[in-house]
Amino acid sequence: MTAITFPYVTKALKVEQRLGTFYVAVLPAELLLQVAASDSMRAIMKPDGDGYELKGTQRLMQDKRLTDISAYINRVDSSFPNSIIIAANYDLESGFDQGELEYISEEDTGAPVVDSRVWSIEESDSGCHTLTIPTAEKLAAVIDGQHRLFSFARAEPEAMQSMDLLCSIFIDLPKALQAQIFATINSNQKKVDRSLTYELFGYNVSDEDEDYWTPDKLAVFFARKLATDQESPLRGRIMVAPKRDKALEELAAEADWKVSTAVVVDGVLRLFSSNPKRDANAMRKGEASPRRVLRDGPKDRSPLRDVYIEGNDALIYKMVLNYLRACETVFWKDAKADSFILRTIGVQAVFDILRQLAGQSFADRNISEDYFGSKLEGANEIDFSEDRFKNPSGSGRTFIRKAIEEAIGLNA
């Protein structure tokens, strides 16, 4: 078998379902061992390059299934026709989606970090699309099939290197939705053990009181609400959110522009958490008031951190809603069809500006639409269809954000 080199490029088929879109591709088992991981298990190449060793949760590491499956892989008649389900562009260390090329570091220095590691799909009118995996970095979270996949690390090298695997790949799927898919798949077969779901995803699949909602679970809830709220300018414009009825499907079909759930989740999430994975782990140890345990955790300079810890979710949502309504007036309502303010990079930049305004808004005790409109009005003459905003990567987002900052005097 030819050695795997990066970037790795292959063909993929697009699948549209009610939760959203995913892509089906055939990937070598050895490649998946390199690029995929879960919170509880990952395969690491040995220092001498001779095979892989598993790292992860002790209980899962001792699972007899890994040994049994690896023995099956070594057979000449082994076969795995069912797919491995993964979420691409998810940073398992911080808990943030990496769907776009720029993010804000935990230290929050204000300097953008450009990240060219993300998986991408180039769609084709022929229906056969192109998947590009730029590097071997572990940015693919295993949603389902981790025992099948990681058993290859214990299989004979020849067997491991000769196998391709069918994969269902979600691009930029937030952690809470990964857990939802896992719970749904497994609950159709047997009742999901609560401790297993905590171990794999850090979530309780049963209904939880809002005080137990981790930052990313709250952000996903807000994204879903913004997709359906009559007052929300993003109503019908957020992709991937579950389509629960025909009316909502028609609403999304009529939208003149759309943005992914991941973009909205991350934009909201950064208002109250700089490391959602760390927060989720800490909250699992809390009993009477899980959010309060975060007061004693690592320093977090997110502008609405205290509001989240106190459980004032209504205030956070109202601030986000009113800010987005102001953005509809200033940026989106009269934007040209080819304006980059309507693209992913534009919406990300808009959320970056909210992160800078949120703290002062809370301090001023004013979260009204008029308040944000007055803050943003200096940017209402910017033509975001100009070529200077054309770069679709993280640098395009930076140009848009800086143009807004300069126009409204944020860095004055």
Side-chain angles (χ1 to χ4, degrees), residues 231-235 237 256-257 321-335 342 350 369 376:
E231 297 183 359
S232 169
L234 295 184
R235 183 172 184 259
R237 288 171 170 166
D256 49 353
W257 56 273
L321 177 63
N322 285 340
Y323 172 77
L324 293 176
R325 285 170 59 86
C327 290
E328 171 75 5
T329 300
V330 175
F331 299 127
W332 298 328
K333 183 176 65 174
D334 298 320
L342 303 178
V350 161
E369 180 182 345
L376 297 173

Side-chain angles (χ1 to χ4, degrees), residues 13 79 128 279 315 391:
L13 298 177
S79 175
C128 190
D279 290 344
L315 186 150
N391 192 329

Side-chain angles (χ1 to χ4, degrees), residues 196-211:
L196 176 61
T197 308
Y198 271 133
E199 195 162 21
L200 294 177
F201 292 97
Y203 292 99
N204 181 354
V205 296
S206 62
D207 291 337
E208 295 174 314
D209 185 271
E210 290 184 19
D211 192 43

Side-chain angles (χ1 to χ4, degrees), residues 234 237 257-259 263 323-324 327-351 353 376 379-380 382-386 389-390 396-397 399-404:
L234 295 184
R237 288 171 170 166
W257 56 273
K258 296 181 182 180
V259 68
V263 168
Y323 172 77
L324 293 176
C327 290
E328 171 75 5
T329 300
V330 175
F331 299 127
W332 298 328
K333 183 176 65 174
D334 298 320
K336 299 176 182 177
D338 61 347
S339 175
F340 293 99
I341 200 66
L342 303 178
R343 309 274 182 89
T344 291
I345 54 174
V347 178
Q348 286 179 314
V350 161
F351 273 107
I353 297 298
L376 297 173
N380 60 3
I382 301 175
D383 182 359
F384 291 103
S385 63
E386 294 177 357
F389 303 117
K390 192 172 185 177
R397 171 184 177 179
F399 285 134
I400 293 174
R401 188 189 70 236
K402 287 184 174 179
I404 297 172

Side-chain angles (χ1 to χ4, degrees), residues 240-270:
V240 179
K243 302 171 184 178
R244 297 174 181 172
D245 54 45
K246 188 172 181 60
L248 189 56
E249 290 181 19
E250 293 174 351
L251 184 67
E254 294 172 0
D256 49 353
W257 56 273
K258 296 181 182 180
V259 68
S260 74
T261 296
V263 168
V264 180
V265 169
D266 276 6
V268 172
L269 189 51
R270 287 189 172 95

Side-chain angles (χ1 to χ4, degrees), residues 49-266:
D50 184 22
Y52 295 82
E53 58 182 354
L54 291 177
K55 303 285 187 181
T57 304
Q58 188 64 24
R59 182 170 74 86
L60 293 176
M61 290 289 297
Q62 295 175 342
D63 195 328
K64 184 174 180 294
R65 289 177 63 197
L66 290 171
T67 302
D68 291 344
I69 297 173
S70 64
Y72 173 71
I73 292 170
N74 293 335
R75 290 170 41 170
V76 295
D77 61 346
S78 59
S79 175
F80 294 93
N82 49 337
S83 69
I84 306 292
I85 305 176
I86 60 178
N89 301 335
Y90 180 78
D91 188 336
L92 285 102
E93 301 306 319
S94 70
F96 276 121
D97 156 69
Q98 297 297 310
E100 289 303 317
L101 306 185
E102 183 182 24
Y103 60 93
I104 299 172
S105 66
E106 182 176 346
E107 291 76 18
D108 193 17
T109 60
V113 180
V114 177
D115 182 349
S116 60
R117 307 172 298 167
V118 298
W119 296 28
S120 62
I121 290 284
E122 182 179 347
E123 297 200 349
S124 168
D125 292 338
S126 69
C128 190
H129 311 302
T130 301
L131 168 68
T132 300
I133 305 174
T135 76
E137 295 189 57
K138 293 188 181 299
L139 286 180
V142 182
I143 298 176
D144 192 62
Q146 69 169 2
H147 279 96
R148 271 172 285 148
L149 174 58
F150 295 122
S151 293
F152 279 89
R154 292 184 176 177
E156 294 173 358
E158 182 181 0
M160 180 264 292
Q161 294 172 356
S162 65
M163 274 277 224
D164 289 334
L165 294 174
L166 179 65
C167 295
S168 296
I169 304 165
F170 287 88
I171 303 293
D172 311 338
L173 190 71
K175 181 74 171 290
L177 291 183
Q178 296 174 32
Q180 176 183 315
I181 291 173
F182 169 82
T184 301
I185 291 171
N186 287 278
S187 64
N188 286 336
Q189 302 169 15
K190 59 184 179 180
K191 182 175 176 61
V192 179
D193 178 65
R194 181 176 297 183
S195 63
L196 176 61
T197 308
Y198 271 133
E199 195 162 21
L200 294 177
F201 292 97
Y203 292 99
N204 181 354
V205 296
S206 62
D207 291 337
E208 295 174 314
D209 185 271
E210 290 184 19
D211 192 43
Y212 289 80
W213 286 7
T214 54
D216 58 333
K217 190 168 185 178
L218 179 63
V220 168
F221 172 77
F222 282 165
R224 288 175 170 174
K225 191 170 182 179
L226 288 167
T228 57
D229 192 334
Q230 290 278 359
E231 297 183 359
S232 169
L234 295 184
R235 183 172 184 259
R237 288 171 170 166
I238 300 177
M239 298 181 293
V240 179
K243 302 171 184 178
R244 297 174 181 172
D245 54 45
K246 188 172 181 60
L248 189 56
E249 290 181 19
E250 293 174 351
L251 184 67
E254 294 172 0
D256 49 353
W257 56 273
K258 296 181 182 180
V259 68
S260 74
T261 296
V263 168
V264 180
V265 169
D266 276 6

